[in-house]
Amino acid sequence: MPEIVVLGASGFFHHAEPLRHHFGERMVIEADYSPSKVAAYQPDLVITFEASNPQRGMVVAEMMRRNVATLLIMDGIQEWRNTWSRIKGGNKRPLNQPILTHKVACLGRLDARLYESWGNVGKCEIVGAPRLDDLVMGNYPMRTQLIEGRPLRLLVMTARTPGFTPEEREITLQSLRDLRDHLKPRKDIEVVWRLSKGLHLELRVENTFTSATGEELHQLLPQMDAVITTPSTAQLEAMLVGLPVALLNYHLVPVYTPAAWEIKCSDHIEPVLKDLCNPPFERMLYQDFCLHDALECRTPALPRLIQLVETMIKIRKEQHSKGTPLSFPARILDSPEYFVSWPSEAFDLERLYPDHPVFRLREVTFLQSELDAALITIEQLKEQVNTLTHRLHRIPGYTWLSRLALSFQRRFHLGGHYQV
């Protein structure tokens, strides 16, 4: 009997593939499931990639009643409209409010903080996204200069769902129209469109979108120079490749997962395009911070997910053998990464402040010698000041001269110090 049952669904099977390759016969992916069917496997752990669906929610609830461990693996970023607009009308359940499973594998610390603010304290584990491990392992350099002699290759993308209401879809479409019209006369920018839900037909542009699994996107991104996208997990994928990323967001709603650039109206398009052509280094450093806050990606995610799964199974078996109610510690995965914001590998004071020559000095021994000389000089200057001050106090009329200088300074509003 398999120890792990994955609640499969169309659009989510590719997320389970890394686990299937590792666990083999210990895991089964069940697409046609029910509480009784899943219970018949007598699993130690049930995994789902989406728990707001009522059918999956019923299975998860039943497994928890049976003291079976349950894990929600997030497949993408959280987005404001997906959280709030999607449930308007009352026909859909709130998303992760609360999280129904024992644990949730978060993309990064940002998600964990957001979920915990919704009352899910003790459920969040910071894992990353195994399906993005190929990009993590690629170790792509940060793009800060355009290759001369060719146009900027700009990828324009939308999330899988461009709008959760007709009004939202129209706003997204208008933002794309503005961008298309602005880019049309540009000879220095080569645009590649990757749009969902037939938007390319209304815009009358050629579309490259063929699959939502991410494989074709991962092949396309290294060929690009910059990306403009509506809020989507694709923004993190582009950042992993080192591309400057701007969010296209006319909706005037908060952005859960930020970027270094954001286009909120047509007036923002030109200044953002100017930056994307030659990204300022300080913006790219901030983008790197946004990436690592939103996605645990300094190392591949699959080993962390495997550790989480194995530990949950171990805890479940131990407590099941004792007949005790199933419970888990607040954090199974624990690392300084989760509590410290390490600086970007690209962080460089010399590049950030080229007008300060001191940051060009890298030789430690030379700097130590110069610092020692500077400290000695400061001490000598202190002694000279003390000696001069002592001599001035011995000059007749010193106090009178000092008061006169202060009066003169105030009368003519002079800056600095003129005290004798």
Side-chain angles (χ1 to χ4, degrees):
M1 296 291 285
E3 298 173 277
I4 306 165
V5 175
V6 177
L7 305 183
S10 176
F12 292 99
F13 286 114
H14 60 288
H15 297 307
E17 282 302 302
L19 286 174
R20 186 179 66 82
H21 286 305
H22 177 81
F23 288 104
E25 295 182 354
R26 294 175 61 192
M27 187 181 89
V28 61
I29 301 176
E30 186 58 74
D32 182 21
Y33 49 82
S34 65
S36 58
K37 190 171 184 178
V38 174
Y41 286 108
Q42 299 181 4
D44 290 302
L45 175 66
V46 169
I47 294 175
T48 179
F49 291 91
E50 201 276 336
S52 64
N53 176 280
Q55 185 180 1
R56 283 190 284 276
M58 288 177 60
V59 173
V60 167
E62 179 61 26
M63 292 304 103
M64 294 185 72
R65 279 192 289 269
R66 293 171 180 256
N67 263 7
V68 175
T70 56
L71 171 64
L72 170 63
I73 300 177
M74 297 308 302
D75 71 300
I77 67 168
Q78 291 298 291
E79 200 267 332
W80 179 274
R81 292 174 300 134
N82 191 31
T83 302
W84 306 107
S85 300
R86 185 184 58 85
I87 63 172
K88 288 181 179 178
N91 60 339
K92 292 188 177 181
R93 296 184 61 256
L95 190 64
N96 300 328
Q97 299 174 338
I99 290 171
L100 302 178
T101 53
H102 290 103
K103 287 287 185 179
V104 54
C106 302
L107 293 186
R109 288 176 291 176
L110 186 153
D111 281 351
R113 294 193 300 270
L114 181 64
Y115 299 150
E116 288 170 345
S117 76
W118 292 342
N120 298 301
V121 176
K123 293 188 174 185
C124 298
E125 300 289 341
I126 301 167
V127 172
R131 69 181 181 89
L132 304 185
D133 280 352
D134 62 323
L135 298 181
V136 173
M137 296 296 290
N139 194 26
Y140 294 93
M142 183 183 291
R143 310 266 183 104
T144 55
Q145 289 184 334
L146 176 64
I147 298 176
E148 295 183 5
R150 65 166 175 80
L152 175 84
R153 294 171 181 165
L154 176 65
L155 179 61
V156 179
M157 295 189 290
T158 58
R160 184 182 302 183
T161 303
F164 294 92
T165 65
E167 294 77 15
E168 286 185 352
R169 189 181 190 280
E170 181 55 37
I171 291 174
T172 298
L173 189 58
Q174 183 58 53
S175 68
L176 291 166
R177 285 196 194 102
D178 290 346
L179 187 59
R180 177 203 61 188
D181 294 344
H182 198 94
L183 290 168
K184 188 177 294 184
R186 297 287 293 263
K187 303 299 182 183
D188 60 331
I189 299 179
E190 177 185 320
V191 186
V192 176
W193 300 89
R194 190 175 187 274
L195 310 179
S196 60
K197 304 295 184 181
L199 292 176
H200 66 290
L201 299 175
E202 298 180 63
L203 290 171
R204 297 182 180 180
V205 296
E206 185 178 350
N207 197 23
T208 62
F209 181 87
T210 59
S211 170
T213 63
E215 292 181 11
E216 58 127 42
L217 179 60
H218 290 190
Q219 296 173 2
L220 180 62
L221 282 171
Q223 304 173 39
M224 298 294 107
D225 297 310
V227 170
I228 295 177
T229 179
T230 59
S232 164
T233 310
Q235 71 190 73
L236 301 182
E237 295 171 76
M239 291 177 187
L240 278 171
V241 180
L243 303 179
V245 177
L247 296 184
L248 186 61
N249 179 30
Y250 275 26
H251 295 276
L252 298 180
V253 297
V255 174
Y256 285 149
T257 306
W261 292 270
E262 188 175 359
I263 299 173
K264 295 183 178 181
C265 65
S266 59
D267 289 342
H268 294 170
I269 294 176
E270 180 54 34
V272 169
L273 286 176
K274 182 179 178 181
D275 265 10
L276 294 184
C277 289
N278 290 287
F281 184 54
E282 58 270 25
R283 287 263 192 171
M284 292 300 291
L285 280 179
Y286 176 65
Q287 175 175 288
D288 194 62
F289 165 77
C290 293
L291 169 64
H292 286 90
D293 195 38
L295 181 69
E296 186 61 28
C297 58
R298 296 191 183 277
T299 57
L302 184 58
R304 284 187 293 275
L305 182 57
I306 291 171
Q307 180 186 349
L308 176 61
V309 168
E310 294 282 20
T311 305
M312 290 184 71
I313 291 174
K314 179 182 177 182
I315 292 174
R316 194 266 173 178
K317 287 182 176 180
E318 290 175 350
Q319 296 188 8
H320 181 69
S321 66
K322 297 176 182 178
T324 57
L326 183 57
S327 63
F328 294 96
R331 279 281 198 272
I332 291 176
L333 302 177
D334 197 3
S335 166
E337 290 284 348
Y338 309 148
F339 307 105
V340 178
S341 292
W342 300 107
S344 168
E345 294 178 359
F347 186 81
D348 186 343
L349 290 173
E350 180 183 353
R351 291 186 64 184
L352 285 170
Y353 304 103
D355 295 331
H356 292 257
V358 67
F359 294 126
R360 299 174 196 163
L361 303 176
R362 302 300 179 98
E363 177 57 50
V364 174
T365 303
F366 178 82
L367 288 170
Q368 289 174 331
S369 176
E370 190 172 45
L371 175 62
D372 183 56
L375 292 174
I376 292 173
T377 301
I378 289 172
E379 291 301 320
Q380 291 174 346
L381 289 172
K382 285 181 180 179
E383 292 179 5
Q384 293 176 18
V385 170
N386 290 334
T387 300
L388 288 172
T389 302
H390 180 70
R391 289 178 179 176
L392 286 171
H393 278 285
R394 295 169 59 186
I395 297 176
Y398 167 77
T399 303
W400 177 82
L401 286 171
S402 177
R403 290 175 179 173
L404 179 63
L406 181 61
S407 175
F408 183 82
Q409 176 183 345
R410 289 174 176 172
R411 181 176 180 182
F412 293 98
H413 305 288
L414 298 175
H417 298 281
Y418 291 87
Q419 188 169 353
V420 178

